[in-house]
Each structure stands twice: as structure tokens, then as C-alpha cells.
Amino acid sequence: MATISSHWFLWTATIFLTAMVSQGQLTTDFYDSTCPQAATIVKQKVDEFVDADKGIAAGLMRLHFHDCFVRGCDGSVLLNSTDTTLAEKEALINNGSLRGFEHIDDIKMKLESACPGVVSCADILAMVARDATVKLGGLSWEVFLGRIDGRSSVADEVNTSLPFRTFNFSQLVATFAKVGLDTKDMIVLSGG
Ligand code: HEM
Ligand SMILES: *[C@@H]1O[C@H](CO)[C@@H](O)[C@H](O)[C@H]1NC(C)=O
Ligand SMILES: *[C@@H]1O[C@H](CO)[C@@H](O)[C@H](O)[C@H]1NC(C)=O
Ligand SMILES: *[C@@H]1O[C@H](CO)[C@@H](O)[C@H](O)[C@H]1NC(C)=O
Ligand SMILES: *[C@@H]1O[C@H](CO)[C@@H](O)[C@H](O)[C@H]1NC(C)=O
């Protein structure tokens, strides 16, 4: 009896944990059946934007960085301020400095007409960062997909999540460590 119930417990726990894990798991083929043209649409748009203005590639890559450091890669950097809450994009570090919002909106519109309500804005930012880098001759990487967009964006969180330009080396290392990136990651990403 004890054996049966502990087996039952293990099975239940395993099924429960597997469900939790697979819900949070990103995959490279996430949109293969729901929006097979997603990656192509994003790449074509990025190529077009960067052909028209090389400098925008940097701005687009930076959007992903500034999105991910605040509340994770949830697209929250794209949200606008409301009557009661100042959004991330209006924090001192970002306001008037982040760029490429209209480009992301443009890509989102094209994806919405191709596959309504399927591709998250957070995933668009992740694909765009890769495509912009590749377009300028950088190395490519596989983008894992399936992020869910956040619904809140709070300017004050930018100050406690992103590095300030005045930070010294140890402060920079500590800021990247908070999101699970080590010193080498920080150097490589900053080089990018
Ligand atoms: C290591 C800590 C970092 C600090 C303190 C930092 C700080 C800054 C500052 C102060 C600017 C100029 C903003 C302005 O004058 O408006 C800037 C621009 C920029 N940063 Fe960073 N940054 C860091 C890391 C990164 C990383 C990891 C990336 C991307 C992977 C990145 C991408 C960029 C880009 C692309 C620009 C130029 C944006 C444009 O031309 O639109 N930075 N950064
Ligand atoms: C934010 O506001 C701008 C300007 O009104 C608009 O173009 C953009 O679509 C808005 N973005 C979101 C995510 O609501
Ligand atoms: C962030 O910190 C800067 C510098 O201390 C300050 O001016 C700004 O008001 C703070 N808050 C936001 C939302 O940017
Ligand atoms: C952000 O910049 C815009 C445009 O320059 C300005 O109208 C707005 O007041 C700024 N927001 C903050 C919080 O300073
Ligand atoms: C970096 O700045 C922090 C905070 O101001 C300070 O405590 C630390 O000693 C500084 N580290 C170095 C290596 O300068």
C-alpha cells in the first residue's frame, strides 16, 4: 500500500512538473505549424529596414537587451505609459535613446495580417536582434521561441535592472549576474 501510494505520488508529481516545465520551455520550431512564415516575414522586414538605414540595426538589437533585463524578455519595453504608470520606454535611460519602435510595430502588423494573434512581440524582438546582427555580417544564432508578452511596464524598474553609464566594472558584472549572465557574456554582448 505504501509502495502504491508513493508510486502514485511520483507519477502525479512527474506529470505536474513536466506540464510546468513544458509550458515554460522555448523551442526553435514554436511557430512552425501556427505561423510558418513568421521567421521569413521578420527577416525580410529587417533586411529592408537595414538596407534603408544601416544604423538602425544597432538600435533594434539594443531593444532586445533593454527588454530582457527588465522583467525578462517579455516585450514590456514596447508598452506605452498609461495615465497612472510611466512605462519602461520613458525611463531616463531609455527615453529619446531607444529607437526602432515603429519598425517593430510594422513587423507586428505584417505578422498580424499573416497569422492573427499568434506571434508574440517578445519573440519578434528576439528574432529581430538576430536578423539585424546577421544583416551586418555578424554571426547567427538559433532563436528559441514561445515567449509570452507581459502586460505591465514600469519605468522605475529600469533603474534597478539596467546598468547605468556611470557603472564601474564590478557594478556591471553584478548587473549582468542578476540575469544569469557571466563576465564573459557581458564582454561579448557589449562588443556586439
Ligand atoms: C555593459 C553595460 C552597458 C552600458 C552601461 C550601456 C550604456 C549605453 C549608453 C549610455 C548608450 C548611449 C545612449 C544614449 O546616448 O542615448 C548605449 C548605446 C547603445 N548600446 Fe549600450 N550599454 C551597455 C551594454 C550594451 C549591450 C549588452 C548591448 C547589446 C547587446 C548594447 C547596445 C547598445 C547599442 C546598439 C547602442 C546604440 C543604440 C543606437 O544607436 O540606437 N549596450 N549604451
Ligand atoms: C504607443 O504609442 C504610439 C504613439 O501613439 C503608437 O504608435 C504605438 O502603437 C503605441 N504602442 C503600443 C504598444 O500601444
Ligand atoms: C532613474 O534614475 C535617474 C538618475 O538617478 C533619475 O533621474 C530618474 O528619475 C530615475 N527614474 C526613472 C524612471 O528614470
Ligand atoms: C520622454 O520624451 C518625450 C519626447 O521628448 C517627452 O515628451 C516626455 O515628457 C519624456 N518623458 C519623460 C518621463 O521625461
Ligand atoms: C564600484 O562602485 C561601487 C559603488 O559605488 C563601489 O562600492 C566599489 O568599490 C567600486 N569598485 C571599484 C573596483 O571601483
Side-chain angles (χ1 to χ4, degrees), residues 107-120:
I107 293 170
K108 176 64 170 166
M109 269 197 295
K110 183 136 197 210
L111 286 169
E112 283 305 295
S113 58
C115 343
V118 171
V119 184
S120 71

Side-chain angles (χ1 to χ4, degrees), residues 26 31 62-80 87-89 94 101 104 108 119-127 144-155 157-158 161-162 179:
L26 304 181
Y31 297 115
R62 188 177 181 222
L63 278 180
H64 186 40
F65 163 46
H66 282 224
D67 182 36
C68 291
F69 268 54
V70 187
R71 287 184 179 245
C73 313
D74 66 343
S76 58
V77 73
L78 303 171
L79 296 176
N80 287 339
E88 286 169 34
K89 59 163 69 158
N94 288 337
F101 291 110
I104 303 298
K108 176 64 170 166
V119 184
S120 71
C121 292
D123 280 343
I124 295 174
L125 289 174
M127 289 189 273
F144 285 75
L145 301 164
R147 294 169 189 77
I148 295 169
D149 288 336
R151 292 178 172 272
S152 34
S153 181
V154 182
E157 292 177 1
V158 171
S161 310
L162 276 168
V179 296

Side-chain angles (χ1 to χ4, degrees), residues 4 31 45 59 100 102 113 121 128 134 145 186:
I4 290 168
Y31 297 115
K45 280 283 177 187
E102 327 78 58
S113 58
C121 292
V128 164
V134 170
L145 301 164
M186 182 190 80

Side-chain angles (χ1 to χ4, degrees), residues 166-178 183 186:
T166 52
F167 275 11
N168 63 30
F169 188 75
S170 34
Q171 289 173 303
L172 290 175
V173 169
T175 306
F176 279 71
K178 273 209 274 183
T183 305
M186 182 190 80

Side-chain angles (χ1 to χ4, degrees), residues 1-14:
M1 191 62 204
T3 315
I4 290 168
S5 58
S6 53
H7 275 214
W8 178 85
F9 173 77
L10 277 177
W11 264 112
T12 313
T14 307

